[in-house]
Amino acid sequence: NINYRDLVAANQDLYLRCHERDKKKVSRGIVAAVRNKGGRFLTYAYDERNDIIYDDIGDKKASAKTSQTLRDALNRNKKVSRFVVKGQKEKKELRAPMRIDTSVV
C-alpha cells in the first residue's frame, strides 16, 4: 500500500498534464507496475463461518480505483494551492510524452 501511494504521488504530475484519453494509460501503468512487483488489489467478503475471504478485483477495477486515487490526490493538492496562488488563472492542460515513473516501487 505504501509503494502504491508512492507510485501515485510520483505520477500525479504526468496524470495532470495528460490528455483525457492518456490518463487511463497512466492508471494502467501504475497497476501493471504494482502487479509486476507482486502487489495485488484485493477486496474482502465473509464466508458462512464469518471468516474473511480476500479476492483480487481484477485489472479493470484496479485501474478505475487508481484513477480515482490520482484525481482525489490532485483535488487535495489543488485546494491547498488555491490559497497560495489566489487570483492567478489556471494553466491549460499541457501535452507531455507518456513516461510512467515506476522507480519508487
Side-chain angles (χ1 to χ4, degrees):
N1 206 0
I2 293 169
N3 290 334
Y4 172 74
R5 296 285 178 186
D6 289 343
L7 267 174
V8 168
N11 288 287
Q12 282 178 342
D13 190 47
L14 174 64
Y15 188 82
L16 177 66
R17 292 182 289 136
C18 281
H19 191 272
E20 187 67 31
R21 67 179 173 268
D22 294 329
K23 290 182 188 250
K24 288 182 182 180
K25 293 177 186 176
V26 174
S27 297
R28 285 188 217 127
I30 292 172
V31 170
V34 169
R35 291 200 186 276
N36 285 339
K37 294 290 184 179
R40 298 175 292 165
F41 294 86
L42 302 174
T43 187
Y44 68 93
Y46 294 96
D47 65 5
E48 61 278 351
R49 298 181 311 188
N50 263 355
D51 293 330
I52 297 176
I53 300 171
Y54 291 96
D55 191 29
D56 194 286
I57 63 174
D59 287 344
K60 187 175 182 178
K61 201 170 196 178
S63 180
K65 294 284 188 183
T66 300
S67 293
Q68 183 63 48
T69 303
L70 285 161
R71 284 191 302 273
D72 288 347
L74 288 172
N75 287 337
R76 279 193 302 272
N77 291 341
K78 190 182 280 187
K79 286 179 184 176
V80 171
S81 67
R82 280 189 182 160
F83 294 110
V84 176
V85 274
K86 187 177 177 183
Q88 289 184 356
K89 292 183 179 179
E90 291 185 26
K91 293 181 182 177
K92 290 187 176 181
E93 214 172 78
L94 302 173
R95 297 293 308 256
M98 292 291 298
R99 188 169 302 143
I100 297 170
D101 185 359
T102 60
S103 63
V104 293
V105 176

